[in-house]
Amino acid sequence: FLLTITLWPDQEEALIATGFMAQFPDNANSRDLVQRKYQITTDITDTVGKVVLGQTLECARCHNHKFDKISQKDYFSLQSFFANVAPVDNIPAKKGAIEVAYDQQWAKWEEATKDIRAKQKAIIDTHREDALKYHKERYLTDSRAAIFKPKEQWTAQDRWVNHRLTNVTEEASLQAYFREKGESSDPKFQNKEIAAQWAELDKLNKELRKFNDLKPKTTSNTISAMTELGHADAPPSFVFAQGDHEKPLEEVQPAFPPAITDEKPDIKPLPFSSGRRSALAKWIASPTNPLTARVYVNRVWDQYFGHGIVETVSDFGKAGQKPTNPELLDYLAAKFVKDGWSIKSLHREILLSSVYRQASDYREDVHQADAENKLLAVFPRQRLEAEQVRDSLLAAAGKLEEKVGGPSVYPPLPKNINATNSANVNGDPAWKTSKDDKDHNRRSLYIFTRRSLPYPILDSFNMASPQEAHSKREVTTTPLQALTLFNSELIFDWSKSLAGRVINEAGLDESDRLDKLYQILFGRNANDDEKDSLQAFLDDQENVIRKKVATGKFEVNVPNGLKENIQIDPVRAAAFVDLVHVVANSNEFIYRF
């Protein structure tokens, strides 16, 4: 992701790869663009440190690292590799089916709204220069110094500020001038003409929002990338006192952390690039780098076993945990590099190993020798991750859509969540439920991730935080998780579908149904003791439901999707739905052994 933009500037895949660095939490309304640049480069530096190098560099932004030999100067020297980067979000994408569909839908919106937008433009044009000047004056002093400077005098820093300003300035931004003067109660600023224009603009804005449903619901026809705006020069980098960007100290140049290596960057500027990122990338991916390969293979190991060889997967420093098996870590890292950094070969190496194929059954001799199972003599039991819980329930219910690829989807949110409360300035809701019902059951991988509105089922089971680089999934056991599985109407609906599937596949014999249910959920048959307990639950639950039905105030929940030729007692079937719901909520289903 660092190297691709320099080596393959004309390849779309290479441009998209640089988008990894554009995942910083953004604030389009920030009025301090100089601070925003600092925040962005800080996030990139911290992310590269944790994700690639396994180092908690962020401490050194404000003071010399308390545990590792990383000084403030080292931190800002590393940050200077990114001093010239800027996000660009409007690079035209290659025209595939998705992009063509987007263009067609956008054209429909443009055609339907062209008169409204033309009227808005005509009003704004009457005071466009004043409105733009008003918009620019809302930025802080150091930002304005660059904004109002003639273009021929721009430095690399000024270029970044003005690029950012252009990216966050829209036609709607200029309406603030009309609103401020149109709604002002101060006689000095009151203007009847502008007040009338603002009233008309406000009316047109409401009319325009009526056509929001015509806009494409997902994706776009552009890609996002990190570029250097086509220039070789870079803004200067400084050590900042206490990490305050308004308190620069000594200027620094790009350099690798000396605590990690004594190599010096080989920076070769190009007409369109400073060459800094490619120099950093070549070092990061160098076989001589002691960290990158070890950090990566350790993350893969952690994903499979729930614990890395180094437990602190993003901290290989002194404050991190020592490796439980340093020889194994060295072996995997060396082989990873020798195999050409082949991720498939790494997975194959681990999955075919005897340690991965160990059973998870309790063994007294192992417990006595290694009570915490650090050496993995038995496979550690692990709870499914949030996405796996949802996908497994969908698959068991026979509802999982197998479609691969395409834009993100928006399954329905629970009724008690009002997504319109998070609408943007254009009135677009934060969550637009996908119209195609099939999209509601796509794999969780495709569910849109919004920082301010995480999908509830996934959020309950510790989905990765989208706020920052997420080193490791937390595994908590909370009442909310049980309540989510038990009380969610969506999950209960999946239980009804699973009950229908079991009855369709197993037939009328209840013992066969119980075996089929266990085969689907657990990959085994129910044993005799389990069958006795399940049968007792069915009988008790049937009696409970019959009593409720007798009052005339209870709606029976029968299985979904039953074949037409299957005749069942609806009350007994409703009890079976409840049984399925209970079994699907068991530990054996949401843990892997």
Side-chain angles (χ1 to χ4, degrees), residues 298-317:
N298 187 64
R299 290 187 187 281
V300 175
W301 189 272
D302 176 81
Q303 286 289 309
Y304 281 125
F305 297 103
H307 300 277
I309 302 171
V310 176
E311 180 75 20
T312 50
V313 293
S314 289
D315 189 356
F316 276 47

Side-chain angles (χ1 to χ4, degrees), residues 106-119:
W106 188 255
K108 292 178 182 178
W109 178 85
E110 287 188 323
E111 178 63 27
T113 61
K114 64 179 181 180
D115 291 340
I116 298 174
R117 289 183 292 110
K119 291 177 182 178

Side-chain angles (χ1 to χ4, degrees), residues 18 26 33 71 117 209 220 266 344 387 405 432 488 502:
T18 67
D26 206 0
L33 300 184
S71 67
R117 289 183 292 110
R209 284 195 286 269
S220 72
D266 181 18
K344 284 187 177 181
E387 295 85 352
K432 303 176 184 178
S488 167
V502 169

Side-chain angles (χ1 to χ4, degrees), residues 504 562-567:
N504 288 336
L562 288 176
K563 295 178 180 177
E564 294 182 359
N565 61 338
I566 295 181
Q567 302 297 321

Side-chain angles (χ1 to χ4, degrees), residues 239-255:
V239 175
F240 293 129
Q242 291 83 47
D244 186 342
H245 76 286
E246 295 183 340
K247 298 178 180 178
L249 301 175
E250 63 175 307
E251 185 174 352
V252 295
Q253 299 298 323

Side-chain angles (χ1 to χ4, degrees), residues 281-343:
K282 288 175 182 177
W283 170 70
I284 282 178
S286 168
T288 62
N289 186 318
L291 286 171
T292 306
R294 286 175 173 80
V295 170
Y296 188 82
V297 300
N298 187 64
R299 290 187 187 281
V300 175
W301 189 272
D302 176 81
Q303 286 289 309
Y304 281 125
F305 297 103
H307 300 277
I309 302 171
V310 176
E311 180 75 20
T312 50
V313 293
S314 289
D315 189 356
F316 276 47
K318 288 185 177 179
Q321 298 292 315
K322 292 183 178 180
T324 54
N325 193 326
E327 294 82 3
L328 174 61
L329 183 63
D330 287 347
Y331 165 77
L332 288 173
K335 191 172 188 305
F336 183 44
V337 175
K338 182 180 178 181
D339 290 340
W341 304 80
S342 170
I343 297 172

Side-chain angles (χ1 to χ4, degrees), residues 202-252:
D202 193 35
K203 177 182 175 182
L204 290 170
N205 287 336
K206 292 175 181 176
E207 290 182 19
L208 191 62
R209 284 195 286 269
K210 294 177 182 178
F211 293 91
N212 281 351
D213 285 344
L214 267 183
K215 291 180 180 179
K217 294 296 181 279
T218 58
T219 193
S220 72
N221 57 357
T222 61
I223 60 175
S224 298
M226 294 293 281
T227 78
E228 296 197 351
L229 303 179
H231 294 267
D233 59 330
S237 297
F238 299 91
V239 175
F240 293 129
Q242 291 83 47
D244 186 342
H245 76 286
E246 295 183 340
K247 298 178 180 178
L249 301 175
E250 63 175 307
E251 185 174 352
V252 295

